[in-house]
Amino acid sequence: MRNLKISALLLFAMAALHCGISEDTEVIKGNCNDTVRLPCKAADRTKTYRYIMWYKTEKSPIIKRKSNSYTLYNFTSISLGDKETLVLNGVQPSDSGKYKCYLAADVGGQNDESSVVLNISECLNLSTVYPISTTVPADSCPAVEELTVPWAVIGLSLITVTKIVLCIITVGVCDRVIFRTVRRKQEVRGSKTGRSSWKE
C-alpha cells in the first residue's frame, strides 16, 4: 500500500515537471485588422529557460525563440514583444482561438506554460455599405411661380376687404341677436306689469 502511494506521488511529480504549471485562461477581445498583444504569464513566473514557443490550439507552432534566433511557422505578421508577449498584426476572425506560451526549462528546472484565448470580431465589408443620398430629386417639389408686385397688392387688398366685410357682418349679426334678446325681455316685463295692473 505504501509503495502504491509513493508511485502515485512520483507520477504526479513527473506530470507536473513535464506539463508545467497550469492556470486559468485569460480571454482577450480584439477588432478586425487591429494589432493584438497576447501576454505570456509564464514568463512572469519563470526567469530562466532554454527557449520559448508559442502555439495555437495546442498543436500548431507559431514562433520559437532560442537565444536570439527566431523561427516562424507559417505566420508572417507576428513578433515577440516585452516579456515574450506575442504580437499579432492585422488580426482577422480566423485568428480567433486558444494560444499557448510554452517555456522549456533549463536542465533540472521546471517547464512552464500559460494560455490565452483570442476573440476577434467580424470584419465589416465597406464595399457593401451604400452611402445615404442627401440630394432631393428635382421633380419631387412643385415649381413655385413668382408674383408681380401689382398682383400681390391686389391679392392683399382682397384679403383685407374680405376681413372687413366679415367683421361688419359679424357685428351686425351680434347686434340683431342682442337687440332681439333685449326686446323679448322688455315684452315679457311689459306683459307681467299689464297683468298685475288688470288684477288690481
Side-chain angles (χ1 to χ4, degrees):
M1 183 73 173
R2 187 176 178 184
N3 290 338
L4 187 62
K5 288 183 179 179
I6 292 173
S7 299
L9 284 172
L10 285 174
L11 283 173
F12 178 76
M14 289 173 61
L17 286 173
H18 177 72
C19 298
I21 300 170
S22 62
E23 61 176 17
D24 292 334
T25 303
E26 181 182 359
V27 177
I28 293 179
K29 295 181 180 179
N31 295 321
C32 184
N33 296 319
D34 280 354
T35 296
V36 177
R37 290 172 174 78
L38 304 181
C40 178
K41 291 188 177 179
D44 295 333
R45 298 186 295 261
T46 305
K47 301 303 178 187
T48 57
Y49 41 90
R50 285 181 295 137
Y51 66 87
I52 176 175
M53 176 86 80
W54 272 96
Y55 294 90
K56 183 180 179 187
T57 62
E58 303 279 337
K59 298 177 182 177
S60 304
I62 300 173
I63 188 171
K64 177 181 179 180
R65 184 180 66 77
K66 186 173 183 179
S67 299
N68 289 327
S69 175
Y70 290 87
T71 306
L72 297 176
Y73 301 90
N74 299 323
F75 288 87
T76 56
S77 58
I78 62 169
S79 61
L80 289 179
D82 294 338
K83 295 185 179 181
E84 312 300 354
T85 299
L86 180 66
V87 182
L88 301 171
N89 298 307
V91 291
Q92 299 295 311
S94 59
D95 293 322
S96 297
K98 187 175 182 180
Y99 290 78
K100 182 175 79 170
C101 168
Y102 176 78
L103 301 179
D106 291 328
V107 178
Q110 182 176 353
N111 297 336
D112 201 355
E113 66 182 44
S114 62
S115 298
V116 61
V117 173
L118 177 63
N119 288 331
I120 302 299
S121 62
E122 291 296 323
C123 299
L124 293 176
N125 189 356
L126 297 178
S127 63
T128 60
V129 178
Y130 299 102
I132 299 172
S133 176
T134 56
T135 58
V136 179
D139 58 350
S140 65
C141 297
V144 178
E145 295 182 11
E146 293 185 12
L147 294 175
T148 59
V149 174
W151 281 109
V153 171
I154 292 171
L156 290 173
S157 300
L158 287 174
I159 291 171
T160 305
V161 169
T162 305
K163 286 182 176 181
I164 292 171
V165 169
L166 286 174
C167 287
I168 292 170
I169 292 171
T170 304
V171 169
V173 169
C174 290
D175 277 347
R176 282 194 171 187
V177 170
I178 292 170
F179 177 74
R180 286 183 181 174
T181 306
V182 171
R183 190 172 176 185
R184 283 181 188 167
K185 286 181 181 179
Q186 288 176 352
E187 288 176 359
V188 170
R189 285 182 189 163
S191 63
K192 285 182 179 179
T193 56
R195 285 179 186 173
S196 60
S197 61
W198 180 75
K199 285 181 180 180
E200 293 176 354

